[in-house]
Amino acid sequence: YSVTYQGTFFLNGGQEYLALPVNGDWSRKFSVADKSLTGLSAGGNFGADLNDNFPAPAKTGFYKITFDFQAGKFTVVSTGTYGLLYVPGDYQGWNPATAAKLGSAKNDGAYEGYINFPAGGSFEFKFTTLPDWSNALGDAGAGTLSGSGGNIKVPGAGYYKINANTTANTWSATKTTWGLIGSFAGSGWGTDAAMTYDAGSNSWSATITLAAGDEFKFRANSDWGLNYGDTGADGSLEGGGDNIKGVAAGSHKITLYLNNSGYYTYKIE
């Protein structure tokens, strides 16, 4: 017989991961002996507390991962890869290879993501379709893009939602601050509990007190034009998604993660 676990996960291309038997407990882990083995990103042998992390596939996207604990084997199968658009700029030293990326969940040329532009820079950037300068797109005026365009610029420091479409050759930027709104005390679906941005973890967080049965959502700029909820209660967020509910009564720290472009998550503590 076999003891098999399977799930679908979002993996960042070329990165690494581990399997923890208890969520958040790093005292025990499942891993691989040698992550450099050819083809290991698609599956192979694994075991408890081995030397290396699992290597992720080269392309960002969703993957179905199956662990057979009896046989000590795992497999990784793509269920849909993301298109990526790199955003090199003054904020990170104009290096496409290390730049923030926008994601296209349907891989259809429509990209989105969030980038923090700290104070003190020029707030200029460009888009590149590869992690180099071989195919760059710049500002052609009036929210359009071209290969011969100049640097693109946002008005000033802040946390921006960036959209770009390489089929229509358009782009836009919306400065955001984030809050929680819901049925909890102090909000009443009318007042946002402001969240605080942490540059180190690239996340937003706030502490709220929930009563039994309370529900909430994430909202930008105290306006319903941009909000996220959790349709399916699976821990991932969708624009205009369902209210988040079923959380035990009490004080909770809520953290919003918008750093994986096009795939947004949250944590409740």
Side-chain angles (χ1 to χ4, degrees):
Y1 69 96
S2 64
V3 180
T4 302
Y5 289 84
Q6 184 180 84
T8 300
F9 303 91
F10 179 87
L11 298 178
N12 281 305
Q15 301 300 305
E16 301 176 0
Y17 61 97
L18 288 169
L20 303 181
V22 179
N23 187 25
D25 182 357
W26 291 94
S27 64
R28 188 82 188 277
K29 66 182 186 297
F30 290 97
S31 48
V32 297
D34 182 0
K35 64 185 178 183
S36 68
L37 288 177
T38 301
L40 192 62
S41 63
N45 298 321
F46 78 101
D49 302 316
L50 298 179
N51 292 333
D52 281 345
N53 299 334
F54 293 93
K59 294 185 177 180
T60 296
F62 283 96
Y63 293 86
K64 182 180 290 184
I65 303 177
T66 304
F67 292 101
D68 184 336
F69 285 86
Q70 191 71 16
K73 301 283 188 180
F74 76 100
T75 59
V76 181
V77 178
S78 173
T79 62
T81 57
Y82 270 43
L84 296 176
L85 190 65
Y86 300 81
V87 192
D90 175 74
Y91 72 98
Q92 54 82 240
W94 291 104
N95 184 354
T98 60
K101 296 179 284 290
L102 309 185
S104 175
K106 296 180 180 179
N107 206 3
D108 60 358
Y111 299 86
E112 70 168 64
Y114 289 85
I115 297 176
N116 182 54
F117 293 90
S122 69
F123 316 119
E124 295 182 351
F125 60 94
K126 282 192 169 185
F127 300 116
T128 64
T129 58
L130 295 170
D132 56 41
W133 289 106
S134 62
N135 191 13
L137 295 169
D139 185 9
T144 63
L145 299 168
S146 80
S148 60
N151 292 345
I152 305 165
K153 186 174 183 178
V154 292
Y159 194 82
Y160 286 82
K161 182 176 188 284
I162 308 290
N163 289 81
N165 191 308
T166 56
T167 301
N169 284 322
T170 58
W171 75 280
S172 65
T174 303
K175 186 176 180 179
T176 65
T177 57
W178 286 88
L180 296 163
I181 189 167
S183 58
F184 57 89
S187 175
W189 291 111
T191 302
D192 294 71
M195 305 184 81
T196 300
Y197 179 67
D198 177 66
S201 61
N202 198 7
S203 66
W204 293 81
S205 64
T207 298
I208 58 175
T209 300
L210 299 173
D214 272 343
E215 303 178 3
F216 67 92
K217 299 185 81 172
F218 300 96
R219 192 165 78 153
N221 304 331
S222 298
D223 185 87
W224 285 111
L226 178 55
N227 73 89
Y228 293 114
D230 185 357
T231 300
D234 58 2
S236 63
L237 296 169
E238 296 79 32
D242 293 346
N243 297 344
I244 298 167
K245 54 189 176 182
V247 183
S251 178
H252 295 277
K253 180 182 179 182
I254 314 295
T255 306
L256 172 64
Y257 298 98
L258 300 172
N259 52 314
N260 283 322
S261 294
Y263 178 70
Y264 310 127
T265 59
Y266 64 100
K267 180 169 66 175
I268 301 173
E269 299 176 273

